[in-house]
Amino acid sequence: MQQDDRTPPRPEEATAFIAFDASELSLPGGAHWPTRDLDVPRSYTEIAVQVAVPQAPPSPIGPSASVAQSSSRLAVAALVSRITGFGWKIALALIIGTGVVNDSFNIANTLPNMVFELLLGGVLSSVVIPLLVRSHDDADGGEAYAQRLITMALVLLALGTACAVAAAPLFTLLYVDSSSPDTSPALTTALGYLVLPQIFFYGLFALFAAILNAKNVFGPPAWAPVLNNLVVLVTLGVFYLVPGEISLSPVRMGDPKLLVLGLGVTLGIVGQAVVLIPPLLRSGFRFRWRWGIDPRLKEFGGLAAWILGYVGVSQIGLVVNTNVLTSGTGGGVTAYTYAWLLFQLPYGVIGVSLLTAFMPRMSRAAADGDTPRLVGDLSYAARLSTVLLLPCTAVLAVIGTPIGIAIFTWGKGTLADADRLGQTLAISALGLLPYAMVLLQLRVFYAMKDARTPTLIMIVMTAVKIPMLFLCQGLLDREHIVLGAMLVNGATYVIGAVVGQVWLWVRLGHLRSRRALRVILVTTAVSALGAGAAYLAGLVVPASLGASWQAVVRLPLEGLVGAGVSFGLLAVLKVSEFDPISRRIAGLRRARA
């Protein structure tokens, strides 16, 4: 073991000897490794390390699970959530097809989703968690601060939701190209009235989840979306049994099918928020209305101003993106939405789990002013994302078209629409790792209480994205506009990742980029080999089976071969970032034996 040449522990420090698995340890704040580099790989897993831990009052935060343990449990929940979420999307496509009705539903249902992802689900909670973590140092464990935060948020959510519902026709005007013959603005508006109330409950979910995550309670927020998806699946079953079709000319607000679809989807979001109340109470939190301005709420207000700027700039890009998509042939919005949902499957299982587990650690490191620990977490999360997501990118680029054809040619789907959706998915894979890197970098800025820089980065990304989208609209035929829009989306995240990395380098200094670059190069090489093996495996499937059944056979064959070759080579090459996964797989094999 490397000699620890630092100053010996002070008398007021406790010295603890801890035996642990190096891949499954989350050290308490203020602990020292007996090494200068927090990111030095170790060739052994069972070691005894002398750790100098300053004595402190008991923390109100619950016991901290390790990143490996937290990530694995969250990955299971995320996987089930993504599968059930995609399941109801497939059911919807089978029941109503992938044409105008599905386009209108996706546009309307995206409105509250975008508010959740951009403001509440992603950005706002990224600000809330660091502030909540810091409030745990209060005498009451931060309960009064959280109560004031929720009181203020409930009022703003109620007002914002009411305004959004009233503005449903304006949203339609912004997002839908009414000059296109393949759109139904009236149906989009009608569905908007029914689904926009979701904003309030998305907000409740985000706040409750932020409080639980700050207390190191990750399970309930991760599983809550599964309940939402199950409610929607039941809703679609009822929708299928209700006789008739949704009327397009004219659109009637009292249409039973329209009401079942809109209100049922909203009910799922209500359940997703309400189900977090019992675990919130079990965590010891008690809510009561608490008015007044805490000084840290003013700090939150300053951050929120930049967040609103971030959302505003993002919405401009989304408005242009959706408008360009609706100018294409019917089903373009649905193809883009479904491809994005499939794109989110590997990210949701891997990227979201890592971010959720790393966010409190990075927030604490930033609060303690521990830049080396913050950089270490950032570097490790980036390298883990690389070894897990790059192989997924390569395989997804190969199996994108088979996925589209194998899934969406049944029911009311058509081969042409399914093929276009599959091509869109294959193109989207190119942006998977850059997308994950951008969101990871944003979390680091938020951990440092810096909401200004993410907004400036978003301005750069949007300034690049909008002209390229208009180029797609002007240069491509209507059928291929969706393909161009997805390619632009990936290119935008590449630019955002580069800009964010440079900005972090300026702020934090050395980011251990050399090691990260080595991991990227090695993983890219093995991923390319995996993609090549997947493509060759697909060639053995005879075309005589027909397009649909050929895709059904190619999908698992190419997926298993591509993933097996890519991840197998990472294990053979002993890439250290892949070691935790290798050890976990080996442990499962031993347990079964």
Side-chain angles (χ1 to χ4, degrees):
M1 180 179 295
Q2 179 178 332
Q3 179 66 33
D4 188 358
D5 57 356
R6 294 172 309 188
T7 303
R10 297 183 299 275
E12 65 271 17
E13 290 183 330
T15 300
F17 291 86
I18 304 174
F20 66 100
D21 182 337
S23 69
E24 297 187 356
L25 178 69
S26 179
L27 288 175
H32 317 317
W33 278 113
T35 175
R36 292 185 182 279
D37 187 356
L38 297 177
D39 208 28
V40 171
R42 291 167 172 79
S43 58
Y44 45 87
T45 56
E46 296 295 333
I47 57 177
V49 176
Q50 183 177 4
V51 184
V53 185
Q55 293 177 329
S59 172
I61 305 178
S64 178
S66 72
V67 171
Q69 292 171 333
S70 297
S71 295
S72 62
R73 288 195 292 264
L74 292 174
V76 173
L79 179 61
V80 175
S81 174
R82 298 288 172 170
I83 290 174
T84 52
F86 188 58
W88 76 255
K89 285 286 189 177
I90 294 175
L92 181 65
L94 295 178
I95 294 172
I96 68 175
T98 57
V100 174
V101 175
N102 210 327
D103 276 358
S104 296
F105 172 81
N106 280 309
I107 294 171
N109 198 47
T110 296
L111 298 177
N113 282 336
M114 285 189 296
V115 175
F116 170 61
E117 292 293 340
L118 295 174
L119 179 59
L120 302 173
V123 181
L124 185 55
S125 63
S126 297
V127 175
V128 168
I129 290 178
L131 296 180
L132 285 172
V133 168
R134 291 162 196 211
S135 72
H136 282 301
D137 295 330
D138 295 351
D140 65 349
E143 183 161 314
Y145 178 74
Q147 289 171 346
R148 286 193 177 94
L149 184 65
I150 292 180
T151 299
M152 180 183 69
L154 287 176
V155 174
L156 293 177
L157 280 170
L159 292 175
T161 302
C163 293
V165 172
L170 179 59
F171 281 126
T172 299
L173 182 64
L174 288 173
Y175 285 90
V176 178
D177 183 355
S178 57
S179 65
S180 173
D182 296 322
T183 60
S184 177
L187 180 59
T188 303
T189 301
L191 286 167
Y193 284 127
L194 299 175
V195 302
L196 280 167
Q198 295 175 16
I199 294 172
F200 181 81
F201 298 98
Y202 273 131
L204 287 183
F205 171 81
L207 289 168
F208 294 164
I211 294 172
L212 289 170
N213 286 342
K215 293 175 177 288
N216 286 329
V217 179
F218 301 115
W223 284 100
V226 176
L227 174 63
N228 166 39
N229 295 332
L230 294 177
V231 171
V232 177
L233 282 169
V234 172
T235 296
L236 292 177
V238 175
F239 178 88
Y240 178 76
L241 295 175
V242 173
E245 300 289 342
I246 291 181
S247 173
L248 293 178
S249 182
V251 173
R252 294 186 294 269
M253 237 2 245
D255 189 327
K257 275 188 169 296
L258 177 64
L259 293 175
V260 167
L261 182 59
L263 294 178
V265 171
T266 298
L267 181 62
I269 304 303
V270 174
Q272 176 177 283
V274 171
V275 77
L276 292 187
I277 294 178
L280 198 62
L281 296 176
R282 286 196 300 270
S283 73
F285 178 77
R286 295 293 182 271
F287 173 73
R288 70 181 182 87
W289 295 98
R290 189 180 290 269
W291 305 96
I293 303 297
D294 187 289
R296 285 166 297 191
L297 286 180
K298 295 179 181 179
E299 172 190 26
F300 173 76
L303 294 174
W306 282 105
I307 296 297
L308 290 176
Y310 180 99
V311 174
V313 175
S314 301
Q315 289 294 335
I316 293 172
L318 289 166
V319 166
V320 175
N321 189 72
T322 306
N323 229 292
V324 168
L325 288 172
T326 57
S327 69
T329 54
V333 174
T334 299
Y336 188 94
T337 302
Y338 279 41
W340 182 255
L341 188 64
L342 282 163
F343 165 91
Q344 288 282 324
L345 182 59
Y347 173 74
V349 173
I350 298 168
V352 170
S353 301
L354 286 173
L355 283 181
T356 304
F358 269 99
M359 188 64 199
R361 289 163 52 101
M362 293 191 295
S363 298
R364 175 52 64 188
D368 294 341
D370 192 343
T371 299
R373 183 152 58 103
L374 178 61
V375 171
D377 284 338
L378 168 62
S379 175
Y380 188 47
R383 298 195 314 274
L384 278 177
S385 298
T386 298
V387 299
L388 294 174
L389 291 177
L390 263 185
C392 294
T393 295
V395 174
L396 198 57
V398 176
I399 67 174
T401 299
I403 288 177
I405 296 176
I407 296 177
F408 295 101
T409 52
W410 313 99
K412 293 189 176 182
T414 66
L415 179 60
D417 287 344
D419 183 66
R420 183 173 59 161
L421 191 154
Q423 293 177 33
T424 307
L425 174 60
I427 292 173
S428 74
L430 302 177
L432 182 57
L433 183 60
Y435 174 75
M437 290 298 100
V438 167
L439 293 188
L440 174 62
Q441 292 162 358
L442 294 185
R443 295 313 193 272
V444 176
F445 286 116
Y446 293 133
M448 296 187 294
K449 298 196 299 183
D450 177 7
R452 172 178 173 270
T453 301
T455 303
L456 298 178
I457 293 174
M458 179 54 65
I459 290 174
V460 173
M461 293 171 63
T462 304
V464 172
K465 182 177 185 177
I466 290 177
M468 289 196 293
L469 285 171
F470 285 132
L471 281 176
C472 290
Q473 190 177 36
L475 299 178
L476 299 177
D477 58 63
R478 294 181 65 214
E479 182 181 356
H480 294 135
I481 284 178
V482 62
L483 304 181
M486 187 59 80
L487 184 60
V488 167
N489 188 64
T492 301
Y493 281 112
V494 171
I495 293 170
V498 172
V499 173
Q501 189 73 5
V502 172
W503 223 307
L504 284 172
W505 175 75
V506 172
R507 287 285 302 274
L508 299 176
H510 179 47
L511 298 178
R512 300 180 181 137
S513 300
R514 183 177 300 176
R515 182 175 177 186
L517 182 59
R518 286 199 303 269
V519 172
I520 291 173
L521 293 176
V522 172
T523 309
T524 299
V526 300
S527 300
L529 292 174
Y535 175 76
L536 293 176
L539 295 179
V540 305
V541 181
S544 59
L545 293 175
S548 296
W549 285 109
Q550 184 188 34
V552 169
V553 176
R554 284 178 56 194
L555 176 54
L557 177 62
E558 293 178 345
L560 289 174
V561 170
V565 171
S566 299
F567 291 121
L569 286 174
L570 286 173
V572 169
L573 294 174
K574 299 186 184 302
V575 176
S576 60
E577 286 75 14
F578 195 70
D579 284 347
I581 293 89
S582 299
R583 286 196 299 271
R584 191 165 296 275
I585 293 173
L588 291 174
R589 288 178 177 174
R590 287 193 298 269
R592 290 181 178 179

